[in-house]
């Protein structure tokens, strides 16, 4: 083969096309039989290591995101709360997401009891399953080595390690979408109607996990099937229509029930201003995320592409490479993009049904559509959302590296692979420099090892030719590959280990050590992520992020401080700056020490034994043992007592649930025992019902102070 030749036009060894049967339908393509003896042990080792990474010390994060933990507790106590995803077992209001992820957590709590491990283990198992399914998906068309590399990259992506050890809905969403990709791959192989319909159903359940974010892969799955399925165009279109029907049914049955059940017979739809699941779907969790128009949200706001994202980080084409996000997802992002181009070039003018090209279209489309959406969206956006990109990045790296290695006898293949490795090593040098005080030895080590491996890889063809046929040639090639893989993965592995060894809690967790210049991407602040204080950030307060916009309303009880007070340790059960695992030594909050100045927008803290005892008094006489503004304020009390606590106004305290009139009815009927003071928040529009309730309570009931928190006994002096 001479240097003037181009790369071959097939990415993988040819797989026989499906031959038509007498009725015109294709038969399944013949897949390679058997597998090398090392595959099963290697896969077992990968899954075991992944389980260890995701499960070890899992309970150290306490309740993690107390918002969802409280809903899981509610679902374990009430089947109605389980179905709707209610914040409390008395079903006053739902969380601001559909309930699929809560179903798993609540069922786990029903089986194992209420404890952090029971709440977090479903996400960890979803992570292990995601790695296994990604391996199986990539392996089908690119072989076991590609599948193992893809699975390894996914397992050690820092944001994946974070979210598979956390109780946000993203873990289940990733698993469902990877399963959807697997079903699409199987459908493309045989033009199988059942497989493509299954893909639609899985994405539909993804909608029940995190609403419209799940639909970002829909056009990609559809285009790949339309382009590559080995059957006629009319049949492909009919099958896609059936898949769309499966998606609508899987996503819509729960929505239809919520929409059709009278509002008086179900909880209020949290996150909406009109008690409408359709409003939540299309507004707060839909187009509002793109445009930034989200009435009732806190912080955020619009900003043009390339400009300021209004408090949720700078939007623009390079957002994924910025300080907030690159350390979470970006380690192998340049490599994935380069290998995507390489894979499509290698496929060249292959037949329409070429699977080598179809795989790159599938995962490349996933990466580009989701990545561009995340980069340009103006609404609420957090760095951990980027976990949705992790399977695509991992697949492209595994596929692309394997394709180039298989073509290593071609003159251009190894230099291109070496170039990808050199870029990755250089980019790792940049990312590690953003947390230069953390494991400072790793930065030069990765750069030197990566560049040495890249040079050896580029010269590997020449070197092995000199020792061709000798046992040393294979060992030399293996050593170079091992060095390259270690150099490429050292950064994300280090970040992932640091993430797994650190307790995380709150609404905005972040992976890895704090990165210089990061906004929500760092750690240490309330909610598990560094909050940008001072000029330009949505949370004022400068150096220690002490003041929250809108704090200091009439709700009483240490309202002037950021959640947890000026000291940033009041995030979770036990306190602590990096997630507050039980037993952490950092003070839990400023006002009154442990248990004082309860909670806030981004997380809850553990109330004192005195407060818990107070709330449990005569608890069987009341529907709600207490009411307080904001879901996280309520969550801490509810998790400590096991009894329903009404979250006035939902997550942000800006939903009109309940109205003042309804709250007064509850009080007169003796359904609420205490009103607990807490922080107020300035939302972007939304209802003022919470402030009206606070004003009415403070004007009509006598305040007392328990453990630094203002308490109103609503069972005395009921008046309107």
């Amino acid at each position: 083969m001479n240097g003037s030749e181009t790369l071959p036009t097939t990415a993988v060894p040819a797989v026989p096309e499906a031959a038509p049967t007498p009725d015109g339908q294709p038969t399944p393509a013949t897949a390679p039989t058997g597998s090398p003896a090392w595959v099963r042990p290697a896969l077992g080792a990968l899954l075991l290591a992944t389980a260890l990474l995701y499960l070890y010390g899992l309970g150290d994060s306490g309740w993690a995101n107390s918002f969802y933990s409280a809903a899981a507790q509610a679902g374990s106590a009430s089947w109605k709360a389980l179905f709707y995803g209610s914040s409390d077992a008395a079903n006053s209001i739902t969380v601001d997401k559909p309930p699929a992820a809560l179903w798993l957590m609540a069922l786990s709590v029903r089986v194992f009891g209420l404890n952090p491990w029971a709440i977090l283990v479903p996400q960890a198992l979803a992570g292990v399953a995601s790695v296994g399914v990604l391996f199986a998906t990539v392996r089908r068309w690119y072989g076991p080595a590609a599948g193992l590399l893809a699975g390894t990259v996914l397992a050690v992506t820092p944001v994946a390690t974070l979210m598979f050890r956390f109780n946000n809905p993203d873990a289940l969403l990733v698993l469902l979408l990877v399963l959807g990709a697997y079903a699409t791959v199987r459908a493309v192989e045989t033009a199988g109607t059942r497989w493509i319909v299954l893909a639609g159903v899985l994405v539909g359940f993804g909608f029940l996990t995190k609403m419209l974010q799940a639909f970002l892969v829909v056009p990609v799955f559809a285009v790949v099937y339309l382009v590559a399925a080995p059957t006629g165009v009319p049949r492909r279109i009919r099958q896609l229509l059936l898949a769309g029907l499966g998606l609508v049914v899987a996503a819509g049955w729960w929505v239809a029930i919520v929409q059709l059940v009278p509002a008086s017979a179900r909880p209020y739809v949290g996150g909406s201003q009109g008690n409408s699941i359709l409003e939540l779907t299309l507004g707060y969790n839909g187009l509002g995320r793109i445009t930034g128009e989200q009435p009732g949200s806190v912080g955020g706001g619009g900003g043009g592409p390339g400009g300021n994202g209004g408090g949720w980080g700078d939007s623009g084409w390079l957002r994924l490479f910025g300080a907030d996000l690159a350390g979470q997802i970006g380690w192998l992002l340049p490599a994935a993009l380069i290998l995507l181009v390489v894979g499509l070039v290698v496929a060249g003018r292959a037949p329409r049904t070429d699977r080598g090209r179809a795989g790159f279209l599938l995962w490349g489309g996933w990466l580009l559509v989701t990545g561009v959406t995340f980069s340009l969206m103006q609404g609420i956006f957090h760095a951990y959302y980027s976990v949705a990109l992790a399977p695509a990045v991992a697949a492209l790296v595994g596929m692309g590296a394997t394709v180039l290695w298989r073509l290593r006898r071609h003159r251009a293949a190894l230099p291109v692979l070496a170039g990808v490795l050199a870029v990755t090593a250089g980019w790792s040098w940049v990312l590690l420099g953003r947390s230069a005080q953390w494991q400072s030895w790793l930065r030069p080590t990765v750069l030197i090892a990566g560049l040495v491996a890249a040079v050896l890889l580029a010269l590997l063809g020449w070197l092995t030719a000199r020792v061709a046929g000798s046992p040393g040639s294979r060992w030399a090639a293996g050593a170079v590959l091992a060095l390259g893989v270690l150099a490429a993965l050292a950064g994300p592995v280090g970040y992932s280990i640091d993430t797994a060894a650190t307790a995380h809690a709150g609404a905005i967790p972040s992976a890895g050590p704090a990165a210089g210049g990061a906004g929500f991407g760092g750690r240490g602040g309330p909610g598990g992520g560094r909050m940008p204080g001072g000029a330009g950030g949505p949370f004022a307060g400068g150096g220690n992020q002490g003041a929250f916009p809108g704090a200091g309303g009439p709700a009483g009880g240490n309202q002037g401080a950021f959640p947890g007070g000026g000291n940033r340790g009041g995030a979770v059960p036990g306190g602590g700056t990096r997630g507050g695992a039980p037993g952490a030594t950092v003070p839990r909050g400023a006002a009154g020490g442990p248990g004082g100045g309860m909670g806030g927008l981004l997380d809850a803290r553990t109330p004192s034994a005195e407060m818990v005892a107070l709330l449990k008094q005569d608890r069987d006489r009341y529907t709600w043992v207490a009411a307080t503004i904001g879901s996280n304020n309520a969550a801490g009390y509810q998790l400590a007592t096991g009894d329903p606590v009404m979250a006035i106004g939902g997550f942000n305290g800006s939903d009109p649930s309940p109205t003042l009139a309804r709250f007064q009815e509850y009080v007169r009927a003796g359904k609420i025992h205490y009103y607990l003071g807490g922080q107020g928040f300035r939302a972007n529009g939304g209802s003022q019902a919470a402030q009206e309730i606070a004003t009415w309570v403070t004007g009509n009931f006598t305040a007392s102070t328990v453990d630094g928190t203002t308490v109103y006994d609503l069972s005395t002096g009921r008046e309107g």
Side-chain angles (χ1 to χ4, degrees):
M1 181 175 290
N2 59 59
S4 63
E5 293 177 287
T6 59
L7 289 174
T9 57
T10 181
V12 292
V15 179
E17 294 289 342
T21 60
D23 62 359
Q25 303 302 315
T27 59
T30 303
T33 58
S35 60
W38 54 265
V39 173
R40 286 190 178 182
L43 176 60
L46 171 61
L47 295 180
L48 182 62
T50 302
L52 180 64
L53 180 65
Y54 293 168
L55 288 167
Y56 180 78
L58 190 62
D60 290 349
S61 290
W63 299 121
N65 191 333
S66 301
F67 177 57
Y68 293 118
S69 293
Q73 180 273 330
S76 71
S78 163
W79 290 108
K80 182 177 180 180
L82 175 72
F83 177 80
Y84 286 108
S86 299
S87 290
D88 63 85
N91 294 287
S92 63
I93 192 169
T94 71
V95 299
D96 57 4
K97 298 291 185 297
L102 294 174
W103 293 341
L104 298 183
M105 287 185 272
L107 291 174
S108 177
V109 171
R110 283 179 178 265
V111 173
F112 299 108
L114 179 62
N115 59 79
W117 184 87
I119 287 175
L120 295 175
V121 77
Q123 287 69 240
L125 296 180
V128 177
S130 296
V131 170
V133 175
L134 183 65
F135 162 82
T137 307
V138 173
R139 177 190 179 182
R140 291 195 69 82
W141 291 353
Y142 298 89
L148 287 169
L149 181 55
T152 301
V153 171
L154 174 59
V156 301
T157 299
V159 71
T161 302
L162 173 71
M163 298 316 294
F164 290 133
R165 295 175 56 89
F166 209 70
N167 61 326
N168 281 22
D170 302 74
L172 178 60
L173 176 66
V174 169
L175 174 59
L176 289 169
L177 295 187
V178 175
L179 285 168
Y182 177 81
T184 301
V185 164
R186 295 298 301 268
V188 168
E189 290 177 356
T190 63
T193 300
R194 286 179 295 178
W195 282 110
I196 196 62
V197 170
L198 177 60
V201 170
L202 289 165
V203 174
F205 275 98
F207 173 89
L208 293 183
T209 303
K210 212 174 177 191
M211 288 194 162
L212 292 185
Q213 183 182 333
F215 289 176
L216 291 176
V217 300
V218 170
V220 179
F221 290 0
V223 167
V224 169
Y225 188 79
L226 193 61
V227 167
T231 189
V233 172
R235 186 166 185 258
R236 277 177 271 162
I237 293 175
R238 290 195 302 270
Q239 290 172 317
L240 286 175
L241 291 175
L242 288 174
L245 178 62
L247 184 153
V248 170
V249 171
W253 66 271
W254 182 84
V255 173
I257 292 174
V258 175
Q259 194 69 16
L260 293 174
V261 170
S264 60
R266 60 165 173 79
Y268 185 94
V269 177
S272 72
Q273 293 297 303
N275 198 10
S276 168
I277 189 64
L278 295 180
E279 176 198 333
L280 179 65
T281 301
L282 301 175
Y284 186 83
N285 284 334
L287 296 179
R289 300 274 170 157
I290 305 298
T291 65
E293 299 297 325
Q294 295 173 281
S297 66
V298 173
N308 189 280
W312 305 114
D314 290 342
S315 61
W317 294 102
L318 297 180
R319 187 181 211 173
L320 297 178
F321 298 93
D324 288 354
L325 283 160
Q328 313 291 301
I329 187 63
W331 297 88
L332 293 169
L333 185 55
L337 293 171
I338 296 170
L339 292 171
L340 168 60
V341 174
V342 169
L344 295 176
V345 169
V346 168
R349 297 184 179 181
R352 174 183 66 80
T353 56
D354 179 68
R355 296 177 187 173
R357 178 173 54 210
F360 281 98
L361 289 176
L362 175 66
W363 297 107
W366 178 327
L367 175 62
L368 293 177
V369 172
T370 305
V372 168
T373 301
F374 286 172
S375 296
L376 301 183
M377 62 190 290
Q378 303 297 310
I380 295 174
F381 178 80
H382 303 306
Y384 68 79
Y385 292 0
S386 62
V387 70
L389 299 171
V393 171
L396 289 169
V397 169
M399 292 155 42
T402 304
V403 165
L404 286 173
W405 179 250
R406 287 178 178 167
L407 300 174
R408 61 189 176 275
R409 295 187 182 278
H410 187 277
R411 184 174 181 177
L414 288 179
V416 170
L417 187 56
V420 172
L421 178 56
V423 168
T424 301
W427 181 234
S428 295
W429 163 270
V430 172
L431 295 184
L432 289 169
R434 294 176 179 175
S435 52
Q437 302 305 313
W438 176 81
Q439 305 295 336
S440 58
W441 62 270
L442 186 59
R443 190 184 186 203
T445 302
V446 166
L447 181 64
I448 294 171
L451 294 180
V452 169
V455 171
L456 293 176
L457 193 58
L459 298 175
L460 190 61
W462 179 83
L463 292 173
T464 54
R466 296 296 182 270
V467 290
S470 69
S473 63
R474 177 171 295 184
W475 284 104
V480 171
L481 287 178
L483 180 62
V485 170
L486 289 175
L489 296 183
V493 166
Y495 264 50
S496 288
I497 292 174
D498 179 84
T499 299
T502 301
H504 293 81
I508 312 177
S510 185
F520 288 98
R523 285 188 312 207
R530 175 179 297 169
M531 315 305 287
F539 302 95
N544 72 346
Q545 291 88 40
F548 195 96
N558 191 33
Q559 296 169 353
F562 194 93
N567 185 311
R568 302 189 314 180
V572 292
T577 60
R578 301 176 73 189
T585 58
V586 178
R588 298 179 183 176
M598 187 65 187
L601 173 67
L602 298 176
D603 199 11
R605 291 184 297 133
T606 303
S608 67
E610 181 185 4
M611 177 65 78
V612 172
L614 176 69
L615 295 180
K616 287 185 175 182
Q617 290 179 5
D618 300 322
R619 59 183 176 180
D620 293 338
R621 295 174 51 191
Y622 300 92
T623 304
W624 294 276
V625 297
T628 189
I629 296 177
S631 294
N632 273 314
N633 276 327
Y637 299 114
Q638 182 170 301
L639 290 167
T641 63
D643 296 311
V645 175
M646 178 183 289
I648 299 172
F651 185 85
N652 295 324
S654 57
D655 298 340
S657 170
T659 63
L660 174 58
R662 177 58 60 87
F663 187 84
Q664 291 171 335
E665 291 176 7
Y666 289 147
V667 172
R668 293 188 185 107
K671 292 187 175 183
I672 307 173
H673 195 176
Y674 296 105
Y675 177 89
L676 307 176
Q679 289 88 349
F681 309 110
R682 180 182 301 141
N684 295 327
S687 171
Q688 298 300 310
Q691 286 69 35
E692 294 170 357
I693 290 170
T695 301
W696 177 75
V697 169
T698 57
N700 290 276
F701 295 88
T702 302
S704 61
T705 301
V706 178
D707 196 28
T709 299
T710 306
V711 178
Y712 298 86
D713 187 345
L714 304 183
S715 66
T716 61
R718 296 172 193 150
E719 54 188 88

